[in-house]
Amino acid sequence: MTDTTTAGTDRTAGTASQDILVHTESGITTITFNRLDKKNSITRAMYAALADAFDAAAQDAKVRVVVLQGDVAIFSAGNDIGDFLQQTPSTQDSPVFRFLRGIATFPKPVVAAVCGPAVGIGTTMLFHCDLVYAGDNAAFSMPFVNLGLCPEAGSSLLVPRMFGYHRAAEALLLGEPFMAEAALEVGLVNRVVPPTECNMVAQTQARKLAAKPLSSLIETKRLMKHAQQPEVLERIAQEGESFGRMLVQPAAKEAFSAFMEKRRPDFSAS
Ligand code: COA
């Protein structure tokens, strides 16, 4: 059965056109990153589409669960680096913060299916999901320092809390990728599966959740999360201030230019 609660069987939102696909069926809204030529890196327009999709799913009583998924070979390469270079100032009302607040406060279960690289916000958004399934090709990374930036999405709070300080420091200071098995060990991932089965496993779990009483799901999630939610939202805002300042500083400019020019960055002056 297909619900038409999000205006049709398939909905694409905002100017992101086909880059974010939103499909609602049988109480499950599935959001798919679909900008494969740019490794599902996320533009401002895509953040707006994501924020709208979470808002709509929160308000629609027929939606019980959200699934976030990418492609079998790539989840997301994180923020679009071209957008970073544009240096559009990000206020708390900008699409990225609307998305982060939306996912961090989303009242219903969120299930993620992650295959291939999950870079930057591609990893940090997972700390706000309830169940995470990973293909054995998943590679998580939070390379903010390597880009002259600092953590975002509450990750400076949530990564040490989940991983323990030293493992968090390794992930956030070195910024090197860690694979699905390591993510399983630190508790970021529920289960590691073959990549071709990952989206299906997430849908199966979502269907189980969608069959349960929504009021109990919402209340259980609220009880698990409400104590830390104000702290998380405050940290997202604090990180956002630092991140915005650092985006226009020499280290970040050098890192972004190096990425665009396909060369190694030279941080000797920063
Ligand atoms: N922003 C903008 N474009 C990106 C991008 C990003 N974050 N990540 C990848 N792309 C683009 C590349 O520029 C390239 O475009 P082109 O074909 O026009 O040259 C295309 O996507 C393919 O990327 P490529 O690097 O060739 O793919 P890969 O399979 O070798 O590597 C990644 C995949 C994800 C490991 C690699 O692209 C990467 O590290 N991306 C940057 C991640 C990052 O630093 N994100 C910001 C985090 S805050």
Side-chain angles (χ1 to χ4, degrees):
M1 185 186 74
T2 299
D3 299 334
T4 51
T5 47
T6 51
T9 308
D10 274 309
R11 190 183 68 136
T12 55
T15 51
S17 63
Q18 300 293 311
D19 294 345
I20 296 288
L21 303 177
V22 182
H23 173 82
T24 296
E25 187 168 339
S26 305
I28 301 168
T29 290
T30 302
I31 302 174
T32 307
F33 295 110
N34 186 44
R35 192 186 181 218
L36 290 176
D37 57 328
K38 296 290 178 188
K39 301 288 169 182
N40 287 344
S41 54
I42 308 174
T43 60
R44 206 176 153 83
M46 289 165 73
Y47 285 122
L50 288 165
D52 290 348
F54 273 95
D55 276 356
Q59 281 162 27
D60 187 339
K62 293 199 202 87
V63 174
R64 290 160 171 262
V65 186
V66 166
V67 175
L68 263 179
Q69 65 183 22
D71 178 69
V72 71
I74 176 81
F75 183 65
S76 170
N79 205 104
D80 182 278
I81 290 186
D83 272 14
F84 272 160
L85 268 172
Q86 304 257 314
Q87 297 164 0
T88 318
S90 277
T91 63
Q92 288 298 315
D93 296 327
S94 61
V96 62
F97 289 110
R98 277 184 52 226
F99 164 61
L100 287 177
R101 280 195 305 274
I103 192 169
T105 60
F106 191 70
K108 306 170 191 178
V110 181
V111 181
V114 184
C115 295
V119 187
I121 201 164
T123 288
T124 58
M125 72 173 72
L126 303 173
F127 290 87
H128 303 286
C129 297
D130 301 291
L131 301 175
V132 180
Y133 298 96
D136 58 21
N137 62 345
F140 305 86
S141 60
M142 295 176 279
F144 304 113
V145 166
N146 304 341
L147 293 167
L149 297 169
C150 68
E152 38 73 317
S155 54
S156 63
L157 177 73
L158 298 172
V159 180
R161 205 166 265 182
M162 182 182 282
F163 291 14
Y165 183 80
H166 289 110
R167 286 192 291 201
E170 199 167 47
L172 287 171
L173 295 179
L174 283 174
E176 289 171 357
F178 52 99
M179 300 305 288
E181 288 298 336
L184 182 68
E185 196 195 321
V186 291
L188 178 60
V189 157
N190 289 83
R191 199 193 309 165
V192 178
V193 298
T196 50
E197 291 172 22
C198 194
N199 289 358
M200 199 179 61
V201 168
Q203 288 293 329
T204 302
Q205 300 303 77
R207 275 198 296 276
K208 284 187 206 164
L209 289 165
K212 297 183 190 296
L214 181 59
S215 54
S216 290
L217 291 172
I218 289 176
E219 188 58 9
T220 302
K221 179 164 174 173
R222 190 187 73 77
L223 287 165
M224 286 198 287
K225 290 213 150 187
H226 84 282
Q228 73 166 7
Q229 199 166 80
E231 202 183 359
V232 170
L233 292 175
E234 194 190 321
R235 185 63 66 95
I236 290 173
Q238 273 176 14
E239 291 169 343
E241 276 178 32
S242 301
F243 198 97
R245 181 169 35 82
M246 296 175 88
L247 265 180
V248 292
Q249 289 177 347
K253 283 188 186 167
E254 166 59 11
F256 304 151
S257 304
F259 179 77
M260 299 309 258
E261 292 159 19
K262 301 190 190 290
R263 61 171 172 81
R264 282 185 177 279
D266 175 3
F267 294 125
S268 56
S270 47

